[in-house]
Amino acid sequence: LMFPRFGYTTAAWDPPKPPGRNLDRVGKVLTTAIGFSLSAVTNTEPNFGGVTGLTAMYYDAGQGELLIRNAGEDKHGFAVCTRCGFAMSEEKRRKASGPPPALPKDFREHASVFSTKMNTRCWGRSLSSEPVLRHKVLAARETTDVLILDWPNDAGEGPLSSLGRALVLAGARLLEIDSREIGRELKPRSAEEFTILLHDTVPGGAGHCFELFKRGREWLEEARRVLWVTANHNNACDKACLECLLDFGGQFNAHLLERKGALDLLE
């Protein structure tokens, strides 16, 4: 894992684009909760929202940490220029022995991220060695407010992930905020069991998770309304649709959505 001291930046030669146009996602960002312990929990509520066996554990921003990482397009890590920090996904896996694979196409020709001219080179062809780090997983640590919901009965990844998405959308409605201000992940409880992990996406926390923790039953009932919508919708929608769980913020995890499974779990 590689943790840049001063964070990440886009290139000066790659100006901002209008929203929703030519969206380019490189790899997949994974979020994992680290540093959590029962002794560090700020508030715990058993039978949360009146659901027998459902335990809610709230951690304020000083009690836990999230690990955020990206292993690149093909999960082989990134090649990183040590002169400017430019990075590209590695195209081939690194072998345990032998020479490293070729650099990603066009990597040697890249312009410095600090240059406004894309047709320049960051380093010349006459260098005795190439200033590049190979196969690095880009990562960051972030402290923020976290709420963990430990569901009482075993549930598959799809229904639990879908219920987590419904809780995010319901929380955004109740708090009148953008749904992207609340993040949702599944935290492994065992090899095949998970808990729902919700967190404020603002570094340091914004208090959203704590407010939802206090609302309990109201929040769960709103999540049911997100999943149910109407009787006609419930009969027609199987996995997810634009009336319930599908939206811009959750589009990249749409393949995990199982609306009916989440509704059954909540019921």
Side-chain angles (χ1 to χ4, degrees):
L1 299 179
M2 185 175 187
F3 296 89
R5 181 178 298 176
F6 302 110
Y8 296 90
T9 183
T10 53
W13 44 261
D14 189 15
K17 300 179 178 65
R21 187 180 300 175
N22 298 324
L23 184 63
D24 184 21
R25 288 174 61 88
V26 180
K28 183 178 180 180
V29 176
L30 300 176
T31 302
T32 305
I34 58 175
F36 291 93
S37 67
L38 291 176
S39 60
V41 66
T42 307
N43 294 95
T44 302
E45 184 173 334
N47 302 326
F48 181 71
V51 178
T52 303
L54 172 59
T55 302
M57 294 170 283
Y58 168 72
Y59 298 79
D60 67 26
Q63 303 301 321
E65 193 172 33
L66 298 177
L67 172 65
I68 303 161
R69 63 198 187 281
N70 188 335
E73 195 68 38
D74 299 308
K75 299 183 180 180
H76 303 325
F78 288 84
V80 183
C81 173
T82 60
R83 285 197 167 189
C84 71
F86 176 84
M88 283 184 70
S89 293
E90 294 275 12
E91 297 171 349
K92 297 181 180 179
R93 184 181 301 276
R94 185 164 193 160
K95 298 180 179 179
S97 60
L103 282 168
K105 182 182 178 182
D106 300 328
F107 184 89
R108 289 185 177 87
E109 310 299 323
H110 77 267
S112 169
V113 298
F114 304 111
S115 174
T116 57
K117 298 179 180 180
M118 191 175 181
N119 58 354
T120 60
R121 282 178 60 104
C122 181
W123 29 276
R125 296 180 174 84
S126 60
L127 294 179
S128 57
S129 61
E130 295 173 329
V132 57
L133 301 174
R134 304 296 305 275
H135 301 278
K136 297 298 181 183
V137 175
L138 302 182
R141 293 185 180 94
E142 185 176 292
T143 57
T144 189
D145 289 3
V146 170
L147 179 59
I148 296 177
L149 299 179
D150 193 354
W151 217 257
N153 51 343
D154 296 339
E157 183 179 5
L160 204 59
S161 178
S162 302
L163 179 55
R165 187 64 196 161
L167 288 167
V168 168
L169 296 175
R173 285 185 189 178
L174 291 177
L175 302 181
E176 299 182 3
I177 59 175
D178 191 299
S179 63
R180 288 169 291 183
E181 293 188 41
I182 306 174
R184 182 266 290 139
E185 309 292 338
L186 293 185
K187 182 179 184 295
R189 182 169 59 188
S190 64
E192 298 181 354
E193 297 179 356
F194 301 89
T195 60
I196 299 174
L197 184 149
L198 303 165
H199 62 90
D200 293 3
T201 56
V202 178
H208 300 325
C209 283
F210 183 59
E211 185 65 27
L212 294 175
F213 177 77
K214 293 190 295 181
R215 295 202 179 191
R217 185 74 178 189
E218 179 188 8
W219 182 27
L220 295 180
E221 290 176 349
E222 185 64 33
R224 185 189 183 281
R225 283 189 282 271
V226 168
L227 293 166
W228 174 263
V229 187
T230 64
N232 288 337
H233 170 270
N234 189 56
N235 292 329
C237 177
D238 184 19
K239 297 288 186 180
C241 71
L242 293 173
E243 290 187 43
C244 53
L245 296 178
L246 280 181
D247 69 337
F248 180 84
Q251 63 179 307
F252 300 108
N253 292 311
H255 62 288
L256 293 175
L257 297 178
E258 297 181 20
R259 183 196 67 86
K260 288 190 174 180
L263 185 60
D264 290 342
L265 190 62
L266 186 57
E267 294 285 16

